[in-house]
Amino acid sequence: MPPRTVVIGVDSSTQSTKAAVVDTVTGELLAVGRAPHVVTGEGGARESDPEVWWRALCDAVAGGLKESGLPASSVTGIAVAGQQHGLVVLDRSGRPLRPALLWNDTRSAPQAAALTAELGGPDAWTARTGTVPVASMTASKWRWLRENDPANAEAAAAVRLPHDFLTERLAGTAATDPGDASGTCWYSTGTHAYDPELLGLLGLDEALLPPVAATGAVRIGSLTATAAEALGLPEGIAVAAGTGDNMSAAVGLGLGGAGLLDHPVLSLGTSGTVFAASLARPASTALSGFAAADGTYLPLACTLNCTLAVDKVATLLGLHRDDAAPGGEAVLLPFLDGERTPDLPTSAGLLTGLRHDTTPQQLLGAAYEGAAFTVLRALDELSRACGLDPADPEVAARPLRLIGGGAQGRTWVETVRRLSGRPLIVPGS
């Protein structure tokens, strides 16, 4: 029998890195290594040192290989899917000049509003990029950096997304992909390239950006000797372009080429995300009209507050996350980080409907309900933007695919099932 060969798929998310070891012949998931990240900031700031991502990637790969029991020589390729929208600025040696601004950093809300107005309003942005700037988008963060940290903006020799930064560390070659690039608001989903007018509006030199690899590019480079030594992997193995986390999830779920919203996906992570595959380029100010990783499109809506907000409420109440009951009359909107959908970047959490007989378990249940309701409301917006009526019985009966960390939690699954009234599919369960 020939020796088993594997590839490693890396998920570098907001809170942690996971490295999946997968058999190249059968597709079997053999092991998963994990390592945590550190997120800092208050008052709307959310930042991470990109070097933490690199160390976590090394630790997660080592953990995954150890769990698999396979030798490093069995690995033939590696690719990274990463949290979208984060802004990484590098010096000429490829080292971060400052901590990265993460997708859930809301300080750039004024810059997002200014950019929207400067181009002529939401419709103008949707026509160019498929997406209207909000605080989450990379373009808004670049404008914020130029206004609030001009020294580092001026010193930047390279501007990267989180997954771009890690891919470049692996291959020694700068590259991004259309999916993750479409979340910057300086890449056009219409022309499939960086938009020169938008780069001019932002004061961003295209030479600072990575080339966009062709859709479906299997290999953009090879693992360098330095990266191979850090990871304990063979030098020269294939490094693929990777993509954004949501685009990667769509590939894993086999959504490419599906009918619009035939298979809507609800992802419960640090953020709550709803998306579906589309063969037509979406153009609506109510959602993000991203490119997918396979040449199709990925209309998407995202909330800032999901599992992390609910876990915070559980901690404040001294409860286990599954020690919850339906909220009854209590209503809790857990907008602890402001909110992206709806676009309320300076909002805070709101609790109402308390009674003498309200229990701590009901308060935690109300947090689940508030977070789930916000994500389901975003799903309704996605449906309407795509020409579907969410109240149509046929639309409302379509199963939801539930993914993300929350999909492994009993209370999350039951809350979504109860509030949506829809059948749920939890892949892998």
Side-chain angles (χ1 to χ4, degrees), residues 217-238:
V218 175
R219 183 174 190 150
I220 56 91
S222 302
L223 194 67
T224 68
T226 300
E229 181 178 4
L231 292 164
L233 296 179
E235 180 183 352
I237 64 171

Side-chain angles (χ1 to χ4, degrees), residues 19 27 61 81 172 187 230 237 283 290 357 359 365 392 398:
V61 166
Y187 174 90
I237 64 171
F290 295 143
D357 59 355
T359 67
D392 183 324
R398 294 178 183 178

